[in-house]
Amino acid sequence: MKVNKNFDNLVSNYLFAEVAKRTSDFIEKNPDKKVIKLGIGDVTLPLAPVVVDAMKEGADELGKKETFKGYPDYEGYEFVRQAVSDYYKSFGVTVGADEILITDGAKSDSGNIGDIFSEDNVVLVTDPVYPVYVDSNIMAGRKIIYADSNERNGFAAMPDDSVKADIIYLCSPNNPTGSAYTYDQLKAWVDYANKNDSVIIYDAAYEAFITEDNCPRSIFAVEGARTCAIELCSLSKTAGFTGTRCGYTVIPKELERDGHNIYKLWYRREATKFNGVSWPVQRGAAAVFSEEGQRQIKENIAYYQENARIISSAMDELGIYYTGGKNSPYIWLKCPNGMGSWEFFDFLLEKANVVGTPGEGFGENGAGYFRLTSFGDRDNTIEAVERIKKVLCNR
Ligand code: MLT
């Protein structure tokens, strides 16, 4: 019996598990301190009322013989896929309901999508990067190469024609750096992928936070993307589904590689390994895309955007370089006074009792940077920012 030795190549702890462990150790040693967590991007506002009502109705339907549901369709119920397709239409992008699969979220999808690709593909990720793209490919034993995001390019890495990559993970608005690609920047990636026969796995989990018109909400807004891209999206950040779990993948029917239709491969993978999202959750998901659902979730997004503005203004006041906060719930900042990421993590935890995420955990280019989330409670966000200002001004 042998285990998958590729696991030996992983860092010992998943980043957010490490942050959670260090935080709980601190709380245990300092039970009198009120620790404010702006680390993991977990939402704090409740689900929209219209979503909760739909879920309750869904639960009631499961309790009656006439409306009971067993296994859902593998690709998700048609009415949910149609609702997603109509949502894309609302920002000018055409994707068919038959190109959408309902899933349990973008984290699982980005971790699982690799199942349909050969292990000898070269994977390109931008650095800093959401750790799931890297860890899941390490588990599969793939070679990973990095495109640098740094201050010089505003933490938005661009393709390099001298480099050959088969699978490219892009996330825009980016986790962790908060930068969002413009149309022209995405077009450059799309052109690269079409030219090199690569596939872009595009994580749009934060699309609802885009405020600038020149930053597309979907890669399928970009000419040429239908022949090279898969889009992953999620209701986690858009509608507070981090615990509820629902997302979707969009794969254009014409996307083919190596003589295979990519939608068909993903459908085959999902039908084999996943029994779908539960009926009450799919009912709730459809409600997110209703007119009233959109109105209600936009109120929550506006609340988080105001938190982002509060954090960004503090960085402006302190004269700290940062990206994000504008098209994104994340503020990616340069650690003050030349501190390292984990050094700043410990400093903030000990002196201000505020938790953030060390940039180094997202890759080499994250060293010396730090991520704060705007998904916290408003009062806590204000208090955290005041504490940060105080400890940095008194230093
Ligand atoms: C984050 O903090 O980066 C995210 O919440 C993690 C995730 O979505 O898995």
Side-chain angles (χ1 to χ4, degrees), residues 7 22 65 177 227 247 283 304 333 371:
F7 277 63
R22 291 190 189 209
K65 187 152 183 31
T177 73
T227 51
R283 288 279 268 106
Y304 297 133
L333 57 113
R371 195 193 76 176

Side-chain angles (χ1 to χ4, degrees), residues 187-374:
K187 178 83 173 92
W189 279 110
V190 164
D191 289 347
Y192 171 95
N194 278 323
K195 197 165 117 202
N196 288 281
D197 202 33
S198 349
V199 168
I200 295 174
I201 297 169
Y202 188 77
D203 184 345
Y206 299 92
E207 58 80 16
F209 288 82
I210 290 180
T211 54
E212 290 176 320
D213 288 345
N214 64 340
C215 300
R217 302 269 297 267
S218 160
I219 196 160
F220 298 118
V222 176
E223 196 198 330
R226 289 183 61 88
T227 51
C228 68
I230 295 173
E231 184 156 298
L232 319 177
C233 201
S234 157
L235 296 183
S236 286
K237 318 295 158 113
T238 310
F241 274 52
T242 52
T244 311
R245 310 305 309 154
C246 192
Y248 42 93
T249 46
V250 184
I251 308 185
K253 284 290 166 75
E254 60 262 48
L255 180 57
E256 306 262 343
R257 285 293 180 276
D258 196 17
H260 287 73
N261 180 277
I262 299 295
Y263 173 94
K264 282 190 185 151
L265 292 182
W266 181 236
Y267 179 91
R268 184 70 176 80
R269 188 268 172 215
E270 290 293 85
T272 305
K273 294 195 182 181
F274 182 54
N275 259 336
V277 175
S278 74
W279 173 250
V281 172
Q282 292 208 44
R283 288 279 268 106
V288 167
F289 298 108
S290 67
E291 211 179 311
E292 183 55 16
Q294 285 295 296
R295 199 192 59 70
Q296 291 179 2
I297 64 153
K298 279 182 185 147
E299 279 177 17
N300 289 6
I301 290 169
Y303 176 99
Y304 297 133
Q305 284 171 325
E306 176 59 13
N307 285 352
R309 195 200 56 75
I310 291 166
I311 301 171
S312 307
S313 321
M315 296 306 128
D316 288 334
E317 261 177 65
L318 290 163
I320 290 177
Y321 170 89
Y322 67 95
T323 50
K326 198 188 285 163
N327 294 304
S328 156
Y330 296 127
I331 289 86
W332 175 255
L333 57 113
K334 188 165 189 160
C335 300
N337 309 314
M339 273 189 263
S341 301
W342 284 104
E343 191 187 352
F344 189 54
F345 174 87
D346 289 335
F347 171 81
L348 271 196
L349 184 56
E350 275 156 31
K351 306 281 186 238
N353 309 144
V354 171
V355 179
T357 310
E360 211 173 306
F362 298 101
E364 269 177 31
N365 288 335
Y369 293 85
F370 200 74
R371 195 193 76 176
L372 292 172
T373 160
S374 68

